[in-house]
Amino acid sequence: MVRSIDVETSLSDLNNAEAAAYWQTLDADLEAAIAAQLIGRLGDEGMDIKIDMSEVELANYFEAAVGSAETKLQGTVNVVDMNNNANFETFDLTVSMDQALPLLPPGTDLTIIPPTSTEVYAGVVAAFAKAVVDRIDG
């Protein structure tokens, strides 16, 4: 069971202007995406998941192709269970556009879609949430 999910992103974690466009809602959006992966496992007792984002970057197709930027979310995940001292874990997690691709709508053309599109943003957030839950379920 999971008792709480807390994501923190600071302004210093944002690596470019495109990423800054979403900083205001990233914490809440990522918390909601993780909670959606944990339906039926949320309760008043259990693990606390705390994520400290360390890097948020959105890149367009051309920036990614030349290696000047990439679309990614990176953070440190801490999992603590106050009722079970043996149930704790800390790990660094990075999710890039490669992991988000399967979560984008079918037929999405990355050469056309802007990095600030709703689809790209939602795909990267969903990919990070899935990676957190997969690792916890490990």
Side-chain angles (χ1 to χ4, degrees):
M1 294 296 289
V2 174
R3 181 176 73 159
S4 69
I5 303 164
D6 181 37
V7 178
E8 290 185 18
T9 305
S10 68
L11 288 175
S12 63
D13 300 332
L14 306 170
N15 286 357
N16 55 18
E18 289 85 5
Y22 294 104
W23 80 272
Q24 293 177 330
T25 61
L26 179 60
D27 296 355
D29 293 342
L30 194 48
E31 289 169 4
I34 294 168
Q37 295 275 328
L38 296 168
I39 296 293
R41 296 171 52 191
L42 301 171
D44 294 333
E45 294 188 19
M47 298 182 289
D48 294 316
I49 301 171
K50 180 167 175 45
I51 302 171
D52 181 18
M53 299 306 294
S54 58
E55 194 168 344
V56 178
E57 188 170 359
L58 294 171
N60 65 35
Y61 172 78
F62 299 106
E63 290 171 325
V66 299
S68 65
E70 66 178 314
T71 298
K72 68 179 174 180
L73 294 178
Q74 183 174 342
T76 301
V77 180
N78 293 299
V79 181
V80 178
D81 188 338
M82 299 307 266
N83 295 324
N84 179 355
N85 291 335
N87 190 17
F88 67 92
E89 184 176 10
T90 298
F91 56 93
D92 292 323
L93 182 63
T94 301
V95 171
S96 68
M97 187 54 137
D98 291 339
Q99 287 121 320
L101 285 175
L103 302 172
L104 296 177
T108 300
D109 185 349
L110 292 179
T111 61
I112 296 172
I113 194 167
T116 56
S117 71
T118 303
E119 294 84 3
V120 168
Y121 176 73
V124 173
V125 168
F128 195 91
K130 182 178 181 331
V132 168
V133 174
D134 287 350
R135 178 73 182 260
I136 290 170
D137 288 345

